[in-house]
């Protein structure tokens, strides 16, 4: 009854007076089911004093009869995205068994081996146990990328290693370097698939690697170049780990170190759960990157967020949100048809409770779409009271999406509105803007140049 009264008040009070009930709107938007909860969140747009810039939200009617919600948009999105929803379901059910190597490789990838497995292999080839330690030091501490660099290993053993083993399986198909120092690579995999990795240097000394977890992506987010190209296959744990190790080795040879890793490249990391976590643990244990300096992103696969909360890892979690109500989010992100905001927000609250760790919500600002003050109020109500931070991302335009980046003044207003709800937000610094640094963009360019569309090399 309280909720009904407040919703009636929202429709009756003038917009200039409605600020007083905005807190009540925020209260309503969270605990209700995703259909009814959408009423409170959408009504919030009209509650905020917008100085005449507010607009009636699509799907909500304000009149003498009270508040009405149109759900046809959500149903239409479900029908439109049903194929993608089926793909998402299939990926969750498959539960991706961990793999160390692709079949058909003639030589053993030393970078795919754990320290015990490396020792067992070399001992089986007649080496002493200390040789395994020497090889491990060359690969991970000294950053060697060539077996000939293992100078304190006997020449005979080096020749055996070169004949029977290799360091990695990725080969650089193309590389771009930005004037700000950002390096973007497209790697060719043994089966011809392409993936991308980015190294971003910062003035404060940080060196951050952005890496891929899948070849392509099944999630189908409309504004993402990778989402537009579809899903090819899961990356193995060693393919994920190798992207990090290569940057680590190159930086080590220059007297620098890789400080951070974000799994925000191609693919949905929690859609490749086992392989991603195996790789993350190796980054932490073998490369020495602190778990708190590793970020796993997700579009919102609720069962996998719940599973991650029980792992005992101190990694950071970033959730791609991009819209604060179900209709708009379902239009942009098919995953929302399967896991609507009510379920996602509950999973996020549970994650915070179970881990004691703050969640970052990723928000790609699209001019005129999700960058308005009204939308900021809606988002603020959705996140109010959560231990979270909003990362505002400048949109990287793609050929398959006609959205434009938000203007600086609108970004500033968006941040200020969120602050009214106690929600902190930071606009991300644009990196590699003069190259194809956005997820999937370089791969698309390479494939077009080869005239192969989405086919492997």
């Amino acid at each position: 009854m309280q909720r009904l009264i407040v919703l009636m008040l929202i429709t009756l009070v003038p917009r200039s007076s409605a600020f007083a009930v905005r807190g009540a709107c925020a209260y309503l938007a969270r605990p209700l089911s995703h259909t009814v909860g959408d009423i409170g969140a959408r009504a919030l747009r009209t509650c905020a004093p917008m100085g005449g810039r507010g607009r009636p939200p699509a799907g909500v009617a304000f009149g003498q009869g009270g508040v009405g919600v149109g759900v046809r948009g959500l149903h239409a999105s479900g029908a439109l995205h049903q194929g993608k929803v089926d793909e998402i379901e299939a990926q969750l059910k498959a539960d991706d068994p961990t793999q160390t190597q692709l079949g058909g490789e003639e030589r053993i990838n030393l970078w795919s081996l754990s320290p015990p497995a490396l020792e067992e292999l070399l001992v089986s080839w007649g080496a002493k146990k200390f040789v395994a330690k020497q090889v491990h030091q060359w690969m991970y501490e000294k950053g060697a990328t060539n077996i000939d660099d293992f100078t304190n290993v006997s020449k005979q053993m080096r020749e055996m290693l070169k004949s029977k083993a290799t360091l990695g399986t990725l080969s650089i198909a193309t590389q771009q370097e930005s004037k700000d120092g950002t390096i973007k690579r497209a790697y060719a995999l043994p089966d011809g698939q392409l993936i991308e990795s980015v190294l971003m240097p910062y003035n404060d000394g940080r060196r951050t690697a952005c890496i891929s977890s899948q070849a392509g992506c099944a999630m189908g987010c409309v504004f993402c170049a990778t989402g537009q190209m579809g899903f090819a296959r899961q990356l193995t744990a060693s393919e994920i780990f190798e992207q990090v190790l290569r940057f680590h080795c190159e930086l080590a040879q220059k007297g620098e170190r890789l400080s951070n890793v974000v799994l925000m490249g191609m693919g949905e990391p929690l859609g490749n759960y086992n392989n991603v976590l195996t790789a993350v643990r190796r980054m932490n244990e073998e490369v020495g990157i602190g778990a708190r300096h590793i970020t796993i992103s997700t579009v919102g696969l609720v069962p996998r967020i719940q599973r991650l909360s029980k792992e005992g890892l101190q990694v950071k979690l970033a959730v791609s949100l991009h819209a604060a109500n179900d209709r708009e989010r379902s239009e942009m992100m098919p995953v929302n048809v399967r896991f609507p905001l009510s379920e996602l927000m509950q999973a996020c609250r549970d994650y915070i409770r179970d881990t004691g760790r703050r969640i970052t919500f990723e928000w790609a600002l699209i001019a005129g779409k999700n960058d308005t003050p009204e939308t900021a109020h809606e988002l603020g109500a959705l996140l109010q009271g959560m231990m979270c931070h909003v990362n505002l991302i400048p949109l990287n335009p793609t050929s398959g999406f006609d959205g434009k980046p938000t203007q600086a003044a609108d970004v500033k207003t968006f941040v200020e509105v969120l602050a009214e709800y106690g929600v902190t937000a930071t606009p991300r610094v644009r990196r590699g803007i003069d190259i194809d640094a956005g997820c999937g963009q370089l791969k698309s360019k390479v494939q077009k140049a080869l005239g192969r569309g989405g086919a492997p090399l």
Side-chain angles (χ1 to χ4, degrees), residues 196-261:
E196 298 175 349
S197 301
V198 183
L199 178 65
M200 297 170 285
Y202 294 89
N203 293 334
D204 60 6
R206 284 177 297 143
R207 300 292 182 266
T208 299
C210 179
I211 64 170
S212 297
S213 56
Q214 297 174 325
C217 184
M219 301 299 114
C221 300
V222 299
F223 50 82
C224 175
T226 305
Q228 294 161 16
M229 66 181 62
F231 176 74
R233 70 168 174 85
Q234 305 282 23
L235 298 188
T236 66
S238 60
E239 287 169 337
I240 298 168
F241 177 67
E242 185 178 334
Q243 296 170 71
V244 171
L245 187 58
R246 284 186 177 275
F247 284 136
H248 162 76
C249 290
E250 292 167 22
L251 290 170
Q253 291 170 6
K254 298 190 294 184
E256 301 176 6
R257 64 179 296 271
L258 186 64
S259 57
N260 299 75
V261 174

Side-chain angles (χ1 to χ4, degrees), residues 227-412:
Q228 294 161 16
M229 66 181 62
F231 176 74
R233 70 168 174 85
Q234 305 282 23
L235 298 188
T236 66
S238 60
E239 287 169 337
I240 298 168
F241 177 67
E242 185 178 334
Q243 296 170 71
V244 171
L245 187 58
R246 284 186 177 275
F247 284 136
H248 162 76
C249 290
E250 292 167 22
L251 290 170
Q253 291 170 6
K254 298 190 294 184
E256 301 176 6
R257 64 179 296 271
L258 186 64
S259 57
N260 299 75
V261 174
V262 294
L263 285 97
M264 296 182 180
M266 297 175 64
E268 161 58 39
L270 294 189
N272 191 10
Y273 190 91
N274 290 317
N275 293 332
V276 163
L277 260 62
T278 297
V280 163
R281 290 190 170 98
R282 291 193 66 194
M283 295 171 205
N284 177 234
E285 296 168 4
E286 297 179 50
V287 180
I289 299 172
R292 295 182 182 184
H293 295 277
I294 300 172
T295 301
I296 297 176
S297 68
T298 179
V299 296
L301 296 183
V302 167
R304 299 290 170 86
I305 293 173
Q306 295 167 335
R307 186 172 167 187
L308 183 64
S309 71
K310 309 298 183 184
E311 293 285 351
L313 292 172
Q314 296 190 43
V315 296
K316 294 179 180 178
L317 177 64
V319 177
S320 295
L321 200 55
H322 311 305
N325 64 66
D326 280 317
R327 181 183 62 81
E328 293 178 2
R329 193 166 190 266
S330 294
E331 288 173 357
M332 292 194 291
M333 305 175 68
V335 68
N336 196 76
V337 177
R338 177 60 184 86
F339 300 111
L341 280 170
S342 59
E343 295 181 30
L344 176 58
M345 290 298 104
Q346 188 57 56
C348 290
R349 292 188 192 96
D350 293 344
Y351 180 91
I352 293 168
R353 181 200 64 208
D354 294 343
T355 66
R357 300 194 61 76
R358 183 179 76 170
I359 284 180
T360 296
F361 289 102
E362 304 287 321
W363 190 276
L365 286 166
I366 307 168
K369 175 72 174 176
N370 66 352
D371 66 343
T372 63
E374 298 96 327
T375 301
H377 280 289
E378 192 173 18
L379 177 61
L382 184 68
L383 302 183
Q384 191 173 40
M386 291 183 68
M387 188 168 66
C388 67
H389 183 80
V390 177
N391 196 7
L392 299 173
I393 308 166
L395 180 73
N396 275 308
T398 68
S399 59
F401 182 66
D402 60 3
K404 305 297 181 186
T406 296
Q407 298 300 309
D410 293 328
V411 176
K412 182 175 182 293

Side-chain angles (χ1 to χ4, degrees), residues 69-111:
V69 180
V71 295
R72 285 183 299 174
L74 185 57
H75 291 162
S77 295
L80 179 66
H81 294 315
Q82 189 56 52
K84 282 297 176 186
V85 173
D86 292 343
E87 278 192 73
I88 292 168
E89 286 283 9
Q91 202 162 94
L92 287 170
K93 290 177 181 178
D95 205 29
D96 50 88
T98 300
Q99 304 171 2
T100 54
Q101 290 191 153
L102 292 172
E105 293 180 2
E106 296 181 0
R107 294 191 293 171
I108 296 172
N109 177 13
L110 297 181
W111 282 347

Side-chain angles (χ1 to χ4, degrees), residues 123-241:
V123 168
S124 72
W125 290 352
K128 301 293 185 182
K129 288 185 178 181
F130 72 84
V131 175
K133 292 182 180 179
Q134 291 174 326
V135 170
H136 190 273
Q137 286 175 339
W138 279 109
M139 292 193 299
Y140 299 107
E141 295 178 25
K142 300 179 181 180
T145 57
N146 191 316
I147 292 173
D148 284 326
D149 293 334
F150 303 173
T151 54
N152 62 349
V153 175
S154 70
K155 183 177 180 181
Q156 181 181 3
M157 179 53 66
R158 292 201 305 270
E159 293 302 320
M160 181 177 292
L161 286 171
K162 287 192 292 183
S163 66
K164 294 185 176 183
T166 183
L167 295 180
T169 62
L170 309 184
S171 59
I172 298 177
T174 189
Q175 176 172 303
Q176 297 178 342
E177 185 166 354
S178 169
K179 58 187 179 183
D180 64 21
T182 298
I183 296 173
K184 176 72 176 279
R185 286 178 182 163
Y187 284 114
L189 306 182
D191 62 353
Q193 291 294 335
L194 290 172
I195 61 171
E196 298 175 349
S197 301
V198 183
L199 178 65
M200 297 170 285
Y202 294 89
N203 293 334
D204 60 6
R206 284 177 297 143
R207 300 292 182 266
T208 299
C210 179
I211 64 170
S212 297
S213 56
Q214 297 174 325
C217 184
M219 301 299 114
C221 300
V222 299
F223 50 82
C224 175
T226 305
Q228 294 161 16
M229 66 181 62
F231 176 74
R233 70 168 174 85
Q234 305 282 23
L235 298 188
T236 66
S238 60
E239 287 169 337
I240 298 168
F241 177 67

